[in-house]
Amino acid sequence: TCLRIQFTSLLPEGCIINGMTFSSCLLQHRHWVIHAYNVVLSDVSGEAVIGMSCTPLPGSSGSVRGSLMFVPARLADPKGSPFEVEVAEFPLQQPDYIF
């Protein structure tokens, strides 16, 4: 069977999945694709967010897109099936100066 999520929203009061509200959702998995000059520089996939990750840019700009997988409530006590949220592409821009 396939779970089809009709409406998903992450709000300050929690997450809403198919009309059901959960007071919290936990990030379980992430997937990032980092581009520069129409070339994939890095394809990062793994559990939640672990520390920092760096990808050197060959120039001053690039972009990132991807997805995040959440589980309603807590990972140790899930209240529903995991759901994926797509992250729209956003730019990476090297600043003119760094403090």
Side-chain angles (χ1 to χ4, degrees):
T1 61
C2 177
L3 173 67
R4 184 172 182 203
I5 296 175
Q6 298 170 348
F7 178 76
T8 301
S9 177
L10 296 175
L11 303 169
E13 56 270 12
C15 55
I16 300 170
I17 304 168
N18 291 335
M20 294 179 59
T21 301
F22 298 93
S23 61
S24 65
C25 293
L26 179 72
L27 178 61
Q28 184 177 27
H29 189 268
R30 92 272 193 217
H31 180 229
W32 298 121
V33 180
I34 303 167
H35 290 87
Y37 303 112
N38 296 320
V39 174
V40 173
L41 299 177
S42 186
D43 191 324
V44 179
S45 187
E47 290 183 16
V49 177
I50 302 170
M52 295 187 323
S53 62
C54 298
T55 298
L57 290 174
S60 63
S61 65
S63 64
V64 177
R65 65 178 169 78
S67 62
L68 301 170
M69 180 76 69
F70 291 91
V71 63
R74 297 178 300 147
L75 194 56
D77 185 24
K79 300 294 183 192
S81 298
F83 63 95
E84 187 172 26
V85 176
E86 189 169 329
V87 177
E89 189 168 353
F90 61 92
L92 292 175
Q93 184 71 39
Q94 184 176 3
D96 294 332
Y97 55 90
I98 299 174
F99 291 98

